[in-house]
Amino acid sequence: MKNKKGIRFPAVVMVLLAISSFQGGAAIAKGIFPVLGAAATSSLRIVLSAIILVLFNRPKLRSLSRAQWQLVALYGLTLGTMNTIFYMAIARIPLGLGVAIEFIGPLVLALTGSKRIADFLWVLLAAAGIALIAPWSNKGLDITGVLLALLAGALWAAYIVLGGRISQIMDSGKAVTIGMIFAAILVLPVAIGNGLLINFKPTMILPAIVLALLSSAIPFTLEMQALRRIPAKTFSILMSLEPAVAAFSGLIFLQEHLSFHEWLAVGLVIIASAGVTLSGRNNAHQADPLKDI
């Protein structure tokens, strides 16, 4: 993918920027969360993201084929459901545990269809890191929260697959924009039902817009562009950097100090992500016919 000046942004950089953007949005969401609740906060983010993307990209809806409409609708509904369910999960269980459980989805996807021993080793290394991050010794976990996180992980894997497919037949900006419209249609009734209109205050407008940009509009657009140039398997392992970025963000912005084994977990995830990126680079260049678009 090239911009108007002909500068190519590496797909790996796009994924890393998407992760960083999402974590910045999570910090803002933490301030809104206690007032609006999980479902309403997620819905507000998605609806505002859809509005921002429509104003920015101005997609031409009449140009879509029936196949494109079907795929982008499924992509958007999956996106909206995934985000809402994940927010509902972390309302019941710790954020770190919710993210770790959710990553089971992308990891299972990474194993699907792989025939190379190296791929399994990188996945196992990432899985070991995620297992160390998760506070498995914690007692009295909310079983509903755990099940919701697992469901969010399955939806995340579906989102990766759908994103990869739709990026091959549609412009990434148009796909994300229309997908967010479908997601907004899905979650808006949930937001209203959870008291968004009653609890929302004018002082939340600016934080909500920034939240929408950082947590949805920017990262989803970057991810869609990255999926045009790297395999879904490679993308899913790169996304395992999410807990590592969250850990550093917690240390810098929230003064959340990690233990030795937790930092070890972060290191394992980073090594696994770097390894799969290096080993998958040649495959991406050889197999992806859209890499020069």
Side-chain angles (χ1 to χ4, degrees):
M1 179 72 63
K2 297 179 182 179
N3 63 9
K4 294 181 179 180
K5 296 181 179 179
I7 300 175
R8 171 185 286 253
F9 294 97
V12 172
V13 173
M14 290 181 182
V15 177
L16 295 178
L17 288 175
I19 293 172
S20 301
S21 178
F22 189 84
Q23 290 303 323
I28 296 175
K30 192 171 183 178
I32 303 176
F33 201 82
V35 179
L36 296 182
T41 300
S42 175
S43 300
L44 175 64
R45 184 188 79 186
I46 291 173
V47 171
L48 287 177
S49 297
I51 294 173
I52 292 170
L53 286 171
V54 168
L55 293 175
F56 182 78
N57 291 324
R58 299 182 182 275
K60 297 180 180 179
L61 303 182
R62 294 182 180 180
S63 64
L64 268 66
S65 66
R66 182 176 180 179
Q68 289 174 325
W69 272 116
Q70 292 175 341
L71 192 56
V72 77
L74 184 58
Y75 166 79
L77 294 175
T78 301
L79 179 62
T81 306
M82 174 187 70
N83 281 271
T84 300
I85 288 179
F86 178 68
Y87 267 56
M88 293 171 64
I90 61 175
R92 293 170 170 82
I93 60 177
L95 176 60
L97 179 57
V99 173
I101 295 175
E102 189 189 27
F103 262 95
I104 294 176
L107 283 173
V108 171
L109 174 63
L111 282 172
T112 303
S114 178
K115 298 180 180 180
R116 299 177 59 197
I117 296 178
D119 290 335
F120 284 94
L121 294 177
W122 294 126
V123 170
L124 290 175
L125 192 62
I130 293 172
L132 286 173
I133 291 175
W136 301 114
S137 61
N138 192 13
K139 303 298 182 180
L141 290 175
D142 189 307
I143 185 62
T144 302
V146 173
L147 292 176
L148 286 171
L150 286 171
L151 179 56
L155 290 168
W156 192 357
Y159 159 77
I160 293 172
V161 174
L162 289 170
R165 290 178 180 176
I166 200 170
S167 67
Q168 305 300 314
I169 63 173
M170 287 181 64
D171 172 76
S172 58
K174 179 187 292 186
V176 172
T177 301
I178 299 175
M180 289 299 292
I181 293 174
F182 279 100
I185 294 172
L186 174 69
V187 303
L188 187 56
V190 176
I192 296 174
N194 281 270
L196 173 61
L197 298 181
I198 298 175
N199 298 323
F200 188 80
K201 301 176 182 179
T203 55
M204 296 180 181
I205 294 177
L206 182 58
I209 292 175
V210 176
L211 171 63
L213 286 170
L214 293 180
S215 294
S216 295
I218 293 175
F220 292 150
T221 300
L222 289 171
E223 289 173 6
M224 180 65 71
Q225 292 180 1
L227 280 166
R228 291 173 65 90
R229 293 166 45 200
I230 57 176
K233 175 171 61 64
T234 303
F235 177 86
S236 66
I237 299 297
L238 277 172
M239 291 304 294
S240 66
L241 274 172
E242 197 90 52
V245 176
F248 282 110
S249 297
L251 176 64
I252 296 172
F253 300 110
L254 303 175
Q255 289 76 51
E256 295 177 346
H257 298 278
L258 302 181
S259 64
F260 171 77
H261 78 276
E262 289 170 333
W263 281 116
L264 178 61
V266 171
L268 290 175
V269 172
I270 292 174
I271 293 171
S273 297
V276 76
T277 301
L278 293 174
S279 63
R281 180 180 299 171
N282 291 333
N283 290 338
H285 281 291
Q286 293 173 0
D288 192 353
L290 298 177
K291 62 184 175 61
D292 292 323
I293 293 179

